[in-house]
Amino acid sequence: MLKVVIYDCGYGGELLADWLEAELPILEIIRVIDWRNAHKMQSSSKYARRIAETDLRPYVGRVDLIILANHLLAITSLKYFRRKYKSQRFIGFNLKKPTSPPKDNSIILTTKAVTKTINYHNFVFHLRRRTKTVVLDTWPAKIDDGELTMQEIRGELSRLVMHGSHSQEVFLICSQFCDIEKELVNVFGRNLKIHDGLSDILRETCKTLRLRGSLKKLK
């Protein structure tokens, strides 16, 4: 059985692991979640890389694939890991321009550390959309602890609607935010298009591991 490590610093990694286990039950999913260093990893790409390298050292060269579920780590350090550990396969969340036509008032939900990266600014530029970035630094930790209430989610998102940011399209640039997709639809409507990167991860996993049957279903 192919072994795949899901690496993250919080609940987003658990969500991705659960989803991949359901989609690709032929894989052995190994969850490596560094809850203890979650705050440091979310605050700085420098710390994130250093901590991740220590956490992943026991698995490098011993598993078929390592997936970086932390967006900050993936967009700043994926190339680093691939260059340094050439015998180990790595993938992560990519900030890719969607293939769907542009929508008005696209909203991006993310964290401050991500917005400070050149990768993020390039992503926004190439979207060719009128976007509003919403920084929600307190939400990932609250989702991790199960303390983010539905009232708090609806309150924050409803304020966006009240301020003229009613959107048909939302980009989730934090894996924990996949847990609030139902609330996003409740606030913005059933026609909302959500870009969470999960299908891209599934496609890249199938391609990297040469799971042709599963990959064919995605086309």
Side-chain angles (χ1 to χ4, degrees), residues 67-108:
I67 301 177
L68 305 179
N70 178 285
H71 276 80
L72 177 63
L73 184 65
I75 67 176
T76 59
S77 301
L78 184 57
K79 290 182 179 179
Y80 166 83
F81 282 109
R82 285 175 171 172
R83 284 196 301 264
K84 185 168 182 178
Y85 303 102
K86 294 181 180 179
S87 62
Q88 176 64 61
R89 290 178 288 191
F90 291 88
I91 65 171
F93 281 106
N94 291 318
L95 301 179
K96 297 198 312 184
K97 180 181 177 181
T99 56
S100 57
K103 308 285 186 181
D104 292 332
N105 296 323
S106 297
I107 292 176
I108 303 173

Side-chain angles (χ1 to χ4, degrees), residues 2-5 30 58-66 87-89:
L2 296 171
K3 296 183 179 181
V4 176
V5 165
I30 302 170
Y59 302 94
V60 172
R62 295 179 174 86
V63 296
D64 298 283
L65 178 66
I66 294 176
S87 62
Q88 176 64 61
R89 290 178 288 191

